[in-house]
Amino acid sequence: MKISYNWLKQFVNINWDAERTGELLTDLGLEIEGITPFTSVPGGLEGVVVGHVLKCSNHPNADKLKLTQVDLGNGEPVQIVCGAPNVAKGQKVPVATVGTTLYNPEGEPWKIKRGKIRGEVSMGMICAEDELGLGQSHDGIMVLDSKLKPGTPASKVFDIENDEVFEIGLTPNRADAMSHWGVARDLRAGLLQNEIQIELITPSTSSFRVDNRMLKIDVEVADDNLAPRYCGLTISGIKVEPSPGWLQNRIKSIGLPPINNIVDITNYVLHELGQPLHAFDAMKIAGNQINVKTLPAGTKFVTLDEVERELHEEDLMICDAEKPMCIAGVFGGIHSGVTESTTSIFLESAYFDPVSIRKTSKRHGLNTDASFRFERGIDPNACEYAMIRAAILITEIAGGEITSDVVDIYRKKIEDHQVVLNFDSTNSLIGEEIPRETIKEILTSLEIKVNNVTESGIGLTIPAYRNDVTREADVIEEILRVYGYNKVGFSEKLNASISETKKVEDHDIQQHVSAQLTALGYNEMLANSLTAPTYCELSNSLKEAHNVAIINPLSQDLSVLRQSMLFGAMEALSYNINRKNKDVKLFEFGTTYHNYPKGREEKKHLTIIVSGSRREDSWTIPNQRSEFFYFKGIITAVLERLGIDGYSEKPIKTDVFNEGLILSLGRSTLVEFGLINKAVRGHFDVEAETLFADFNWDLILQKISTENFNLKPIPKYPAVKRDFALLLDNEVSFGKLREAALQTEKQLLKDVSLFDVYTGKNLPKGKKSYALSFTLQDERKTLTDKQIDKIMVKLKQRFEKDFGATLR
């Protein structure tokens, strides 16, 4: 937010330099991010001087050019070629000397150089007012007062305003400081704490009066919740033209382009007092009637930027008897605004519901100075005052008369807040005792009313415009920022206590797993916890009744907290594929949110999504797709890294997975993974085969925190491997074989692996061949052939009995 220092001084008469004032504002919580010099004329007319035209004759090689000899006050007249029709001998004119930088209307600089024009030397330029940035006219050169002395700097001839502009990094809660008046209020409070007694100068409205009642506009507000307060009046007989210089300078200093006197005044008051205003051409208001209401969804409306927009049923509109004229608090319409032919206006000043304005602004992608203030909350009690202030300025600058009474619809008054401040709580939170009189002075300087004072505390009334100060802690923060954080002392001794920490820290475990997955070529992602409620329709396991809804969502697509992390991962996958990144490997640590009948719950997850090739194409390594068993290997590798084993496997097929597995610890699901089905992929326009895994991170943390690890030396005795080639029914899985083998030999059998699967020719129908490898080891001695053969016989018998297996 930009704040002009000259403008600020209209409210606080201070002679500090801008740097010192900026430091105080930063201490008060209004952080100054930069201070920029401003001049009302680009370049400040540096290099432009008064010249005296000594001679003026026709150019020998051009009919429309003149050769002039100009005295610049240094005793050496220079020749300048001039094309202006009104240049003449004896004139005093502004001359841009060689080396001077001028600026075109778009603000682009260009330098005056010594040159030749049609063969004649030209040592400068005699300027028109638009070339100097002093006006719009280009009919001819400027002719100055004949009494001026040649060589006088033009900056001394013209009224050029120099200013310094603060760039304030305003935090969203400080709606009260969204104006020069609000910043001045804080600045005065800070100055008082620096023992500088100073008054806050308030713009006067005592001259306001109603001249006649010839143009009455009736106002009807349909919903007091959307528009708690609505004020208006009419002004007739105005003349729309460019604003006077002082007004243009004020709004240009904060980066706004001057438009016309009426619009400039509404912008001026907005940035002066923080109250958005809107001026309608009164002759374009059908039926002399203003209706503040919503319209049916799909209604078409063309805004000032000539864009046709489709309205939402919750968009608050300012309408006349026939049509919409303005999106309330956001943007005006193209057919109701002030033009050069406007002679009478209806001036609007209102307080609109911040939530309603924010939603409308986001829906239409419109971020205006007005919406910026309305959606953060303005002062509801300043509506009438700001409107009258603007009306006085309009009648002074644009002429005209006030031709109606003030309309003020304020049926549900927004009350001030009541807060009780405890002195002990204040001292405890600040860490230092502040004198009670100082506390009262600070609160009074911030326009917080002290109702009563007791030994223990103060009863306070917080003005409605301070919507960020609603609790005792908020009041203490206000006291501290004005008192000065730098004034709070530090003790010479630092006390600290050692807190008990958990055996297992979540972030440490996440870091280990992240490092592992990153080393395997995966990238960590972070999806929005807010999502669309319609995703529940993609899975029967998700219930719409279990959604945690947001009270004031930015949009329907971000209106609930996610119940599943799958859909955020699919959105990320779709985003990458649409940008030609088809090989995707992502993981995310996150939380899901559930509104169960017994109460709300949050669950932690680790999810992994994979699609495309395992690695980038290379001539040294064949291209390998990311398929199910590769994905299973990644999942088991993560569990091994975490030291988790002893889980069981169970195949699944759901409305999300075509095929998959559930790994469980007892009755609790540890991880669920598989191939995403076509219906879910189709919702996100993903055609490629996609694998997804969802780890129960809460269970993992619980398992790790209760698991005791035993460290053992590496066995001195060698391991032995033996293989079986088994002929099996197609329904028999490796997992069942592995589980049966480990149950058969619990002491010496260390591992079972599958190293080949054959389902081709020369096998009976319904059969397949598995090649299994068994690792045997005795940590106390070397195994004998007799022991090994005995174990292998037991395994063979178990496979024959339980699975009907035969050795090949």
Side-chain angles (χ1 to χ4, degrees), residues 605-624:
H605 300 259
L606 162 64
T607 57
I608 305 175
I609 191 166
V610 174
S611 183
S613 301
R614 300 186 195 180
R615 59 181 66 87
E616 292 183 5
D617 294 340
S618 170
W619 66 275
T620 60
I621 304 173
N623 188 7
Q624 291 180 294

Side-chain angles (χ1 to χ4, degrees), residues 3-12 166 180 183-184 187:
I3 293 293
S4 157
Y5 197 19
N6 287 351
W7 199 342
L8 196 63
K9 289 177 182 178
Q10 292 180 199
F11 303 105
V12 179
F166 299 109
H180 286 75
V183 173
L187 179 59

Side-chain angles (χ1 to χ4, degrees), residues 515-528:
Q516 178 188 13
L517 290 172
T518 302
L520 292 170
Y522 287 74
N523 293 301
E524 186 169 5
M525 62 168 281
L526 182 63
N528 199 333

Side-chain angles (χ1 to χ4, degrees), residues 281-352:
D281 188 325
M283 295 300 101
K284 298 176 182 177
I285 301 176
N288 282 354
Q289 187 175 347
I290 293 286
N291 294 309
V292 184
K293 62 182 181 178
T294 57
L295 295 174
T299 302
K300 306 294 184 182
F301 180 66
V302 181
T303 45
L304 276 172
D305 55 1
E306 299 183 359
V307 174
E308 184 178 76
R309 303 180 188 275
E310 192 170 292
L311 300 179
H312 188 273
E313 65 268 17
E314 294 181 0
D315 292 338
L316 186 64
M317 301 296 295
I318 310 300
C319 309
D320 60 20
E322 299 174 355
K323 61 187 182 300
M325 299 190 297
C326 175
I327 303 177
V330 180
F331 210 31
I334 194 169
H335 300 302
S336 62
V338 173
T339 65
E340 292 181 357
S341 61
T342 299
T343 58
S344 58
I345 61 170
F346 175 79
L347 186 62
E348 168 197 275
S349 178
Y351 177 91
F352 297 119

Side-chain angles (χ1 to χ4, degrees), residues 53-172:
V53 181
L54 302 176
K55 296 180 181 179
C56 181
S57 59
N58 292 329
H59 192 292
N61 303 318
D63 294 338
K64 294 184 178 181
L65 298 179
K66 301 277 183 69
L67 286 182
T68 64
Q69 292 290 321
V70 182
D71 177 11
L72 300 180
N74 56 6
E76 297 182 6
V78 297
Q79 179 173 282
I80 297 176
V81 177
C82 181
N86 65 326
V87 64
K89 178 182 177 181
Q91 291 175 337
K92 298 290 177 66
V93 293
V95 177
T97 57
V98 173
T100 298
T101 298
L102 298 179
Y103 296 81
N104 64 20
E106 288 73 36
E108 298 172 351
W110 57 287
K111 184 173 286 190
I112 301 296
K113 299 178 181 179
R114 181 183 185 278
K116 283 189 176 182
I117 301 177
R118 292 291 183 93
E120 295 293 335
V121 173
S122 183
M123 299 290 292
M125 184 173 79
I126 303 174
C127 301
E129 66 175 39
D130 65 328
E131 293 166 334
L132 296 176
L134 295 171
Q136 304 297 321
S137 175
H138 194 71
D139 295 337
I141 60 167
M142 296 185 73
V143 179
L144 306 179
D145 189 337
S146 60
K147 296 179 181 178
L148 291 173
K149 184 178 178 181
T152 302
S155 57
K156 294 183 178 180
V157 177
F158 300 100
D159 185 16
I160 299 176
E161 182 173 354
N162 294 305
D163 196 358
E164 290 171 289
V165 180
F166 299 109
E167 183 67 46
I168 297 181
L170 193 67
T171 53

Side-chain angles (χ1 to χ4, degrees), residues 472-674:
E472 181 185 44
D474 299 329
V475 176
I476 295 172
E477 182 185 0
E478 290 297 294
I479 294 169
L480 182 55
R481 72 178 181 85
V482 176
Y483 177 73
Y485 291 97
N486 296 331
K487 291 182 181 178
V488 179
F490 292 90
S491 62
E492 296 180 357
K493 181 174 67 173
L494 179 64
N495 297 323
S497 58
I498 300 175
S499 60
E500 182 181 355
T501 60
K502 296 179 181 178
K503 180 180 177 182
V504 175
E505 293 289 349
D506 186 2
H507 64 88
D508 286 336
I509 306 302
Q510 287 190 27
Q511 189 172 8
H512 288 309
V513 174
S514 296
Q516 178 188 13
L517 290 172
T518 302
L520 292 170
Y522 287 74
N523 293 301
E524 186 169 5
M525 62 168 281
L526 182 63
N528 199 333
S529 295
L530 297 175
T531 189
T534 53
Y535 283 155
C536 289
E537 301 170 4
L538 299 179
S539 174
N540 293 329
S541 63
L542 305 178
K543 306 297 181 185
E544 187 175 354
H546 295 165
N547 279 331
V548 178
I550 304 301
I551 295 176
N552 297 314
L554 291 174
S555 69
Q556 190 63 21
D557 290 338
L558 298 172
S559 60
V560 299
L561 290 167
R562 63 186 175 189
Q563 289 191 57
S564 170
M565 294 175 62
L566 167 63
F567 308 116
M570 290 299 298
E571 287 175 349
L573 174 62
S574 176
Y575 183 89
N576 278 271
I577 290 175
N578 289 338
R579 285 153 183 80
K580 307 303 181 183
N581 181 22
K582 55 184 174 53
D583 302 325
V584 178
K585 296 193 289 186
L586 302 172
F587 69 94
E588 178 184 12
F589 291 96
T591 304
T592 57
Y593 307 85
H594 311 269
N595 187 22
Y596 296 130
K598 61 182 179 181
R600 293 179 177 176
E601 289 186 19
E602 295 183 11
K603 299 177 182 179
K604 294 180 180 179
H605 300 259
L606 162 64
T607 57
I608 305 175
I609 191 166
V610 174
S611 183
S613 301
R614 300 186 195 180
R615 59 181 66 87
E616 292 183 5
D617 294 340
S618 170
W619 66 275
T620 60
I621 304 173
N623 188 7
Q624 291 180 294
R625 303 294 296 171
S626 300
E627 39 75 37
F628 184 85
F629 290 103
Y630 155 77
F631 195 51
K632 182 182 178 183
I634 297 296
I635 292 164
T636 54
V638 170
L639 295 176
E640 285 178 14
R641 177 69 179 84
L642 294 170
I644 296 175
D645 54 17
Y647 48 81
S648 60
E649 296 182 5
K650 178 184 176 182
I652 57 167
K653 186 173 183 179
T654 68
D655 53 1
V656 170
F657 294 124
N658 277 337
E659 57 177 318
L661 286 176
I662 288 181
L663 307 185
S664 302
L665 285 173
R667 296 183 178 182
S668 300
T669 298
L670 180 65
V671 58
E672 182 177 288
F673 66 95

